[in-house]
Amino acid sequence: MAAGGGPDVFLVSVSGEIESGQFPGLDELYCKFCFVYGQDWVPTAGLEEGISQIACRSDAAAAALVWNLPLDITFKSTNPWGWPQIVLSVYGPDVFGHDVVRGYGAVHVPIEPGRHIRTLPMFVPESTSRLQKFTSWFTGRRPEFTDPRVVAQGEGREGGTIFKLHFSPNFCL
Amino acid sequence: MSEYDSIHGEKSRSRRASRTGSGSQDPPLSFCLPPVPSASRTGFAEFSVRERMREKLKAARVSIQNDFPSAEEAYKFFTFDFDSEAERKKTGIKKRNELNHEEEEAEEEDAETHEEGQEEDETVRTKMPENMQPRFLEDEGLYTGERPFVSPSNLNILENRILRQERGKEWFGDDGKILALPNPIKQSLTRPPIFSLEEGIEPELETLYRKAIKVTAANQYLVGSGDFQGPFQLDIDISGLIFTHHPCFSREHVLAAKLAQLYDQYLARKQKNLTTLLTDKLHALRNAVQCSIEGGDAAAPKPIAQQSIPEYKMEIRQTRRLRDAEQEKDRTLLKAIIKVWKEMKSLRDFQKFTNTPMKLYLRKEEVDQRLDEKAYEAEIQDEINELLEEYREEYEKKMEEYKAELQEWKSWKRAQSKKKKKKKDLREEEESIDESDLGEEPVKPVPPKMVNSLEIEQQVREKVDSFRRKPGEPVLIPELVLSGSITPSELCPRAEVLRREDVKKRSSFIKVLFNSKEVSRTVTRPISSDFRVHFGQIFNLQIFNWPESLKLQIYETTGISSTTLLAELFLPVPETTVLTGSAPIEEIEFSSNQRVMLDHEGVGSGVSFSFEADGSNKMTLMTSGKVSNSVSWAVGEKGVPLIPPVAQQNTGIASALKSIDAIASIGTSGLTDMKKLAKWAAETKLDPNDPNNAALMQLITVATSGEARVPDFFRLEQLQQEFNFVTDEELDRSKRFRLLQLRNAEVAEFRNYKEVPLHEREISEKIFQDYEKRLRERDVVDSKHYLDARRAVVANYLQKVRESVINRFLVAKHHFLLSDLVNEEEIPSLGSEGPGILGLGIFKLAEPKRPLKPRRKERKKVTAQNLSDGDIKLLVNIIRAYDIPVRKAVSKLQQPSKHSRSFNEMFTASPSAQSPGENIDWVLNQVLVRPFVEVSFQRTVCRTTTAEGPNPNWNEELELPFRAPNGDYSSHSLQSVKDEVFINLFDEVLYDVGEDDHERGSGIHTRVERHWLGCVKIPFTTIYFQARIDGTFKVDIPPVLLGYSKEKNLGNDRGYDSVRNLSEGSYITLFITIEPQLIPGESVREKMNEMLKKFDTQEDEKLLQAAEKYEAECTSKFPSRQCLTTVIDLSGKSVFITRYIKPLNPPQELLDAHPNSSQITAELVARYVALIPFLPDSVSFAGICDLWSTSDQFLHLLAGDEEEHAVLLCNYFLGMGKKAWLIIGNAIPEGATAYVLTLEQNQYAIWNPSTGCFYGQFDTFCPLKNVYCLISCDNIWFNIQEYDSPVRINFDTSKAKLWKSFFSRSSPYPGLSSIQPEELIYQPSDKAAVVELQGRIEKILKEKIMEWRPRHLTRWNRYCTSTLRHFLPLLEQNRGKDVEDDHQAELQKQLGDYRVSGFPIHMPFSEVGPLIEAVHSTGVHTIDIPSVEFALAVYVHAYPQNVLSVWVYVASLVRNR
């Protein structure tokens, strides 16, 4: 991260990688990432969205799925409000070979320069009823967020909307 | 023991006094900070000591007289006597030694008192003037202060010395004691400063080494303290819980809670009765003043009494002010109570049920009118007099000041004039100085004004009127009773029933935590309907630990499973004196910041709601309540309190401390808490007479009268101020902060503002100008922009409605449903067409494959969020056009073929009779037309190639990029895109401009001109909502196209002739879609409707339920067909739709125009309706909701969308005696819309209310594509036929198989009253204003055309203009039909040598902006031939009720050579 760039804006440049994930019992997963940021932020360079290769479980590194997907993006902004967040979603095949979502997660880009390691808990929305759980399992159409960016937003969480979340394990960034 | 104690206490106190008195030089802090222990107690103690001594001495004397004293007694007596004698001698020396040894002092004190006891009387008498009795002020309750201690011997010496002097008695007070100041200590330092030996270190800061000692932690366990004295027990009695706010509170409950609170306040005030108290005081003071004045006259003048008069007066003023304030408070409280009660009553009336048993009675107490008036008058007079006096005093003071000033000024003036005289001689040299001197001239003082007594009287009366009861008015005493009846659940509407059920489901319990460990919990009790929970449990806690904290946790359980922690509250550990049995029940308030939103009548917690319909005046309440409980120490079997002993000791020390120092005992925060302060004051027995305490005492007595007003502020974070990096004012001034705030509030101007600048200086003021202007002009009617004051008012009103709707919308937008966030497959059901493996889809798998019948593949839909500029394209496929006007040979004079079609003609579809000879003639003379289409969207223009002939076939796909406003691709933003797709039809004309034959031979030199023929406009939102638009559209062609004619008969050789023959006008077939396909944000609309349904309605609950059921049934069968039963009116209430339909009278003028032809009349009425300007809600309200206005509102506003037009037209037709229905359906290009269906001579006709056109049921070009339901004044029919295209359905509503009716035999029509007015009243339009408007429009348009041609000279051809102007009324008369040929001929005749190209534009009038746009879009002004001339004429025709039809004729003229 670097600040500067004239009197008008400040720049935040992020580089890093999505290292690996721990999803016990799951294999052959890939992940997508995108950045969510406020109105005053503009990406100036780099990729805003990306998708990784499919990673298989390695025997060596304690059942971790290693992606090593590089991230490199630079933002310019005038306002710290809406500090960029990285949103990850992980997909993989289920028993029948349908591509289903295995986890969502979001974390703010560190606000401090330097090397940081972030571990994200991942979660997926649960079906609203048992029957739906069964049918969704059967058809391979599990509940998904309409937009992965939802996980980076606060709206819609209070009072009215309650959805059950199923937490799946960790994830390294 | 106790005796010793009291003496001991006395001693130690006096010792301290003596020490301080004997010249110790640093003022002890304890003197400044804590209030000195009370003097009255001192007095009492001294008195008791004296008394005891006296008794002892008496006893001694008696024993001497009676018999021999015992040895012991004698010894005592003598030692006493001896001691006192000895002490008296010694004291002097001892003082000097400053060795104040405790015992010695005690004896000394005893001796003193002894002596006093004996000699009191004589000594006092010697010090008093003759025949005066000593007076003890302290005994009379006056404050005397604590006298400094002076040793009695010194005192005696001093007194004797004084008494020897002349007039020595002046030094003694009334009580015979020497006059003394209470505190002789100097505030300033008199001791010389200390000089430190070490350099560089301040002497005060010098450090001393002290060995660190480990503090042994206070032993937590009572058990461990060795002598365990048995169990200690705390009794905690939790009797109940009352919610003062709960999420399940209905609106009525909120009011009831408020009322109860106000009433409690009222009772408390009544008990205090401060008003009467203060009034009495005022009277007493007035009497005192009166007495002292009168007494002063009679007896010898008493200086003290005279002195005290101004003080009294001062006090009177103060008291009066306080009294007035109290009275005002009483009054406002009463008013508030009544207001809340009224609100509650109206709420009950409105919701038609009662939730709370509260009732307020106002008892009137009659008063004697005469007496009352007298008292009232007297009171006013008194007040006036006092005020007068006050003012007079002030006036005198000011007058004096003025005099002094005047004097000064005069002297200055004199000096000045003297100077001037002197300077006259020296003028030449010293002019400059003179001038500078003149600059300093002081202002002449202004004499003060005397206040008029009348004015004062008026002032006083006004004030009194405002908050005092009028004389003779009965005294109102409110009485709150709980005797009302609650409406049983069966009679309540559904939402209320839901609420009650929800309340029943809830229950709560309380956990008791002792030292943060749960020790017990109450049983779970349901919350009763009045939100009280009764526990009535007593917990006996046997404790071993020190009670450090005692905490209650209130839990609420909903249903079976979920338990939430509502609040935690701390109970104070009781004082040791609080024992079970005597402990009072206390109510402790709690509140929680939990946020609850409910989907029934309950108002929720932490959620803003309002009593108003449109969501204004919001309030947010938090869950709160009171727990009534008592905590006390238990009493053991033998009546021994089970209190830990060390705690006793601890509290003992603490209480000793407490009595001294307010801050130590209640903490700094307690200083702002009046109740605590008052309690502390009462506990420490603060001397109320001590002037040091006066401010405190007054504050406590006045302020603790049961109201929370005292601190005008509430400080959540006392230290917040320290952390504010900038003051609030500065923050408010900050433009950047303001910008951020406005953006956050989603103010329209700033909603999508990106990249708020980093620095203040980069924000220009301009950003706010528009916004501020809008705010300012919200209520200002600006007629300048609208040309017409009435329309300005209407526009203003619409703006307000829009704001109100948008306000609601913003609320709805942030309210997410589960389906907004999570995509989830619905539960598949057997037999439905829905997706999923269990549905019918499974059979589709078994279907045979048919490669020759390709199935349409669904395009993948894209969520709108992850898009950016350039991703979205608009695809416009232009297929073909029919019946384009063709060029006409200039010389040809067409015979006037005027034929209006009748209904019959249309339906029978017979080709009209025209002689074939003419056709041949026409074919021979045919001039080709070379049309092409230009599509413009968001300033991007694309065109097709040029085709030939009046029925061209292009079949071309045009691709236009789409850019969302501000790059915001959210569905909300896309819905509010106002851009339209313009599809313009042009004729490409080639003119040969070869100068001569010579040139013509060698090369081709042509000029290409494009002539506008017509256009189709499709709003982007329509495309967005429809996903694709596929159909044939009527091209909007001006009624007269100079140089073009439109042939209706092309001969019989074409197959589709008969079809085309039915319609007039040109048509174009288009296919428009967006690539990639966007998901329309329909959910917002649905959600909004959900939201709005929660708002008020005046419909019967049963009807609404039936409507909901009906809608659900219909949509389950035909999910794509919209079923409409209730709509929202302008005030935001849902109304049953049939209430809108009612026969209404059209303007009489229209009916009278063609009395013999009902068809023409019907067309005229339709035209009238179509002339009312069109204002789509979907654009202005961003696709949120439809608001339906009634016909009179519609005519008043003169703006509305399809529904209003359709309703009005339908009502007119009904009024004219036709059979008419409202069609809810789908049309292109509008999308979901409303049309009108009429039955004409066994044929159904479909009317488009926004254009005034009508179509037969089997008309191919009818824009209405789907029919969903029909609505009449007494029923709704939903289309349950297989098809919904008007061509394929049967409109016979009596067939139950085809139409599902809302009211049937089983549930008959209940006779709903219409919300339409009985009769529409039309105001004739103001002709003069219309003429003026016409002139103004013409002027504006001419100016605009000249403005658009900045580089060219614009000449106006007056002759042509006047010709056109004459022609326009004719067009209006014929409603723009079939006048072309006459006109053409006439124009040709009059302007023989000009080539004229131009056309009339017809529009309903709403604003001038669209007119300008329309004129601009024709492109007449773009012609750049040097010798061009222009003509422009405007005609405004006024229909009743200010419905204006505007004709603009623009033409360009080129002289033929």
Side-chain angles (χ1 to χ4, degrees), chain A residues 7-8 40 78 144 146 155 161, chain B residues 736 743 756 814 816 821 823:
Chain A
D8 299 328
D40 301 323
T78 57
E144 287 180 25
T146 47
E155 279 189 336
T161 318
Chain B
R736 184 165 189 266
R743 183 173 72 176
V756 173
H814 292 282
F816 285 90
L821 293 181
N823 263 344

Side-chain angles (χ1 to χ4, degrees), chain A residues 101 149 171:
Chain A
V101 68
R149 283 154 215 248
F171 200 96

Side-chain angles (χ1 to χ4, degrees), chain B residues 1230-1427:
Chain B
E1230 304 98 303
T1233 183
Y1235 274 55
V1236 177
L1237 179 77
T1238 56
L1239 185 62
E1240 309 272 357
Q1241 298 156 10
N1242 297 324
Q1243 299 286 346
Y1244 288 100
I1246 295 165
W1247 296 79
N1248 183 347
S1250 35
T1251 60
C1253 299
F1254 69 97
Y1255 307 88
Q1257 190 192 345
F1258 303 108
D1259 194 332
T1260 345
F1261 292 123
C1262 175
L1264 186 70
K1265 292 298 171 204
N1266 314 95
V1267 176
Y1268 300 146
C1269 50
L1270 292 184
I1271 292 153
S1272 76
C1273 57
D1274 53 6
N1275 212 341
I1276 302 170
W1277 292 274
F1278 184 72
N1279 180 10
I1280 46 172
Q1281 302 172 50
E1282 192 181 347
Y1283 300 103
D1284 54 8
S1285 160
V1287 186
R1288 304 174 84 169
I1289 61 171
N1290 189 342
F1291 279 112
D1292 188 358
T1293 53
S1294 58
K1295 290 183 179 159
K1297 269 189 184 169
L1298 305 180
W1299 297 95
K1300 178 183 168 66
S1301 63
F1302 186 82
F1303 297 113
S1304 59
R1305 219 167 283 165
S1306 56
S1307 62
Y1309 177 64
L1312 299 172
S1313 65
S1314 174
I1315 57 164
Q1316 302 280 13
E1318 276 306 302
E1319 195 185 358
L1320 290 176
I1321 295 152
Y1322 300 93
Q1323 283 159 354
S1325 299
D1326 183 2
K1327 299 280 178 203
V1330 165
V1331 170
E1332 197 205 325
L1333 180 68
Q1334 184 176 319
R1336 279 169 76 182
I1337 294 176
E1338 190 168 328
K1339 199 171 151 232
I1340 288 171
L1341 287 179
K1342 278 186 173 171
E1343 276 168 9
K1344 281 285 171 193
I1345 288 184
M1346 289 198 272
E1347 208 175 279
W1348 293 329
R1349 296 167 52 84
R1351 304 216 182 117
H1352 302 280
L1353 192 65
T1354 308
R1355 285 193 211 91
W1356 296 101
N1357 188 322
R1358 289 207 193 147
Y1359 181 61
C1360 182
T1361 304
S1362 70
T1363 315
L1364 296 177
R1365 195 172 289 149
H1366 286 301
F1367 180 65
L1368 284 172
L1370 196 69
L1371 274 173
E1372 173 62 36
Q1373 214 173 354
N1374 289 317
R1375 304 189 302 284
K1377 282 182 192 164
D1378 309 322
V1379 283
E1380 194 177 337
D1381 305 322
D1382 311 345
H1383 167 56
Q1384 185 86 22
E1386 198 183 329
L1387 209 61
Q1388 212 52 250
K1389 202 165 70 197
Q1390 288 181 350
L1391 304 160
D1393 46 354
Y1394 282 100
R1395 201 173 76 232
V1396 184
S1397 69
F1399 29 79
I1401 303 163
H1402 175 237
M1403 289 183 91
F1405 178 73
S1406 56
E1407 283 174 50
V1408 82
L1411 284 174
I1412 295 170
E1413 253 338 275
V1415 172
H1416 184 261
S1417 73
T1418 60
V1420 168
H1421 60 278
T1422 53
I1423 191 161
D1424 54 353
I1425 301 169
S1427 63

Side-chain angles (χ1 to χ4, degrees), chain B residues 823-842:
Chain B
N823 263 344
E824 193 176 11
E825 289 289 306
E826 283 181 23
I827 301 175
S829 57
L830 284 168
S832 78
E833 274 185 76
I837 220 148
L838 296 172
L840 282 183
I842 200 162

Side-chain angles (χ1 to χ4, degrees), chain A residues 7-8 39-40 42 78-79 81 127-128 131-132 141 143-147 150 155-156 158 161 163, chain B residues 595 736 740 743 751-752 754-756 758-759 762 814 816 818 820-825 827 865-866:
Chain A
D8 299 328
Q39 280 175 321
D40 301 323
V42 180
T78 57
N79 195 355
W81 181 79
S127 296
T128 38
L131 178 62
Q132 267 166 306
R141 289 180 193 164
E144 287 180 25
F145 285 123
T146 47
D147 184 357
V150 164
E155 279 189 336
E158 74 284 87
T161 318
F163 44 82
Chain B
R595 219 177 122 95
R736 184 165 189 266
L740 289 171
R743 183 173 72 176
R751 194 173 300 150
N752 287 311
K754 288 204 169 171
E755 296 195 48
V756 173
L758 195 56
H759 298 289
E762 291 165 19
H814 292 282
F816 285 90
L818 179 61
D820 294 337
L821 293 181
V822 180
N823 263 344
E824 193 176 11
E825 289 289 306
I827 301 175
Q865 282 101 329
N866 36 16

Side-chain angles (χ1 to χ4, degrees), chain B residues 631-695:
Chain B
V631 185
S632 55
W633 293 104
V635 181
E637 283 171 10
K638 294 169 200 162
V640 181
L642 303 172
I643 306 167
V646 195
Q648 218 164 352
Q649 206 176 28
N650 269 349
T651 48
I653 291 166
S655 62
L657 265 174
K658 270 179 198 171
S659 63
I660 296 162
D661 190 354
I663 295 172
S665 80
I666 52 179
T668 35
S669 63
L671 287 178
T672 51
D673 186 344
M674 277 308 139
K675 279 182 190 155
K676 265 191 195 166
L677 202 59
K679 201 175 153 207
W680 169 78
E683 272 173 7
T684 52
K685 301 198 180 69
L686 215 59
D687 184 3
N689 296 324
D690 188 344
N692 283 336
N693 301 336

